[in-house]
Amino acid sequence: MRAFRLAAYESTPQLQQVEMPAPGPDELRIRVAACGLNFADLLMMQGKYQEKVAPPYTVGMELAGTVDAIGDGVSTFKPGDRVAAFTGQGGLAEYAVCRAEMCATMPASMPFPDAAAFLVAYGTSHLALAHRANLQPDETLVVLGAAGGVGLTAVEIGARMGARVVAVARGADKLAVTERAGAEVCLDSGADGFDLRAELKALGGAHVIYDAIGEPLATPAMRALHPEGRFLAIGFAGGTPPAFPANVLLVKNLSVIGLYWGAYLRFAPQVMTGSIATLFGWYNSGSLRPHISHTLPLEQAADGLELLRSRRSTGKIVITI
């Protein structure tokens, strides 16, 4: 089969012919239809992700496809089932093997590209906003990096939960995407003299900050939080994690809350399962629709990663197999 393989950290992945994997106990083999790209894929390829995968390996941490074979002990899926899966690696290939617990049955109405763009981004934002930050209707939610893969889902879910959503992104085109996703206010972080703290103060401040960027936007956003505000640390696509002054956190009774979605598979899988069920229900009702800015074939997987690296995409990039 064909697979998009990384030979060493910081090297360029290559499309190669490799042996088709066989499912082991409690595993499924999936005929991959689509693979969603994530910023975490880039970090993993550099050896900088929270969970390191030693090369060589096949790139791609989330996928959708059809169960092709099952290993011993699998009773929840059968060949022919349509599934979305969070695999951590292996998605950019014609077939992938993963543990059954990492898979979810797709809604019947969901196309494979939507499913491949769904689990990581929507799962991250829903657990962050509903489970960790306890976002309430009519609160003001500020989303930094609002046009990106996870940021855009935070806009969409925040609006679905009844919050007033303020989207922060660079450029009119990206802000237009956030507005269509439900943002009430759109702020251009690329504008000359942009002062995020002043902009948010003029809007009345914020109750929750959703940050997938880090500095230089994180600290000024934090300083615009109301007392008892919550700052969600989701990622650091800007390259620099914030280092908040503890005296400000103390005086304003602020909470800084971390969210690593994949870890819930280990310590609280029932929380993740319930979240995914809620999200699939919202999809079925028409409340959620993944925004996919680019759909490319496996032969152009490198182009998709470069679009992600250079921030020329909005929402998700999906590779079809």
Side-chain angles (χ1 to χ4, degrees), residues 16-321:
Q16 301 174 359
Q17 288 285 339
V18 298
E19 291 294 322
M20 185 183 298
D26 302 317
E27 291 184 336
L28 310 176
R29 184 172 67 201
I30 301 168
R31 182 178 180 182
V32 182
C35 176
L37 300 185
N38 293 276
F39 189 78
D41 289 315
L42 299 177
L43 296 178
M44 190 177 290
M45 288 162 53
Q46 299 167 8
K48 297 179 180 178
Y49 192 53
Q50 292 96 320
E51 296 186 8
K52 289 183 171 54
V53 178
Y57 71 88
T58 298
V59 180
M61 63 172 48
E62 68 175 326
L63 60 88
T66 305
V67 176
D68 172 69
I70 59 174
D72 292 341
V74 175
S75 59
T76 49
F77 298 96
K78 64 184 185 303
D81 286 348
R82 301 168 72 248
V83 296
F86 172 66
T87 58
Q89 59 172 301
L92 288 173
E94 292 176 320
Y95 292 85
V97 165
C98 67
R99 299 197 311 272
E101 65 191 32
M102 301 169 112
C103 301
T105 301
M106 295 165 45
S109 62
M110 181 180 274
F112 286 122
D114 277 10
F118 200 86
L119 288 184
V120 173
Y122 281 106
T124 294
S125 292
H126 184 251
L127 280 190
L129 296 175
H131 180 67
R132 297 289 281 147
N134 193 28
L135 180 69
Q136 298 297 304
D138 298 324
E139 286 191 320
T140 296
L141 165 66
V142 176
V143 181
L144 308 182
V150 292
L152 196 60
T153 63
V155 171
E156 199 173 358
I157 289 172
R160 174 66 175 73
M161 293 175 68
R164 177 199 189 202
V165 181
V166 178
V168 182
R170 184 178 291 270
D173 291 345
K174 290 185 176 181
L175 290 175
V177 172
T178 69
E179 186 174 20
R180 289 194 293 271
E184 293 186 32
V185 180
C186 301
L187 301 178
D188 186 352
S189 59
D192 291 340
F194 181 71
D195 185 336
L196 179 57
R197 183 185 183 188
E199 294 277 1
L200 296 180
K201 288 284 190 180
L203 292 170
H207 298 93
V208 176
I209 305 292
Y210 180 104
D211 176 32
I213 299 298
E215 300 297 6
L217 297 178
T219 295
M222 179 275 294
R223 289 183 175 274
L225 280 168
H226 290 294
E228 293 195 334
R230 290 89 78 200
F231 186 101
L232 284 162
I234 306 300
F236 317 111
T240 306
F244 293 138
N247 62 312
V248 176
L249 304 179
L250 182 152
V251 170
K252 296 183 70 175
N253 291 288
L254 303 180
S255 298
V256 178
I257 304 169
L259 188 284
Y260 172 38
W261 180 76
Y264 278 85
L265 274 172
R266 292 192 300 273
F267 73 86
Q270 72 283 357
V271 174
M272 180 181 284
T273 300
S275 172
I276 291 171
T278 296
L279 291 166
F280 279 163
W282 288 353
Y283 181 93
N284 277 332
S285 72
S287 298
L288 302 179
R289 281 294 178 268
H291 173 80
I292 300 170
S293 64
H294 297 80
T295 302
L296 302 170
L298 182 59
E299 293 81 3
Q300 293 180 245
D303 296 333
L305 289 168
E306 182 54 35
L307 286 167
L308 192 63
R309 183 183 292 108
S310 61
R311 302 185 189 181
R312 287 181 286 139
S313 60
T314 54
K316 294 284 282 193
I317 300 168
V318 170
I319 305 300
T320 56
I321 314 299

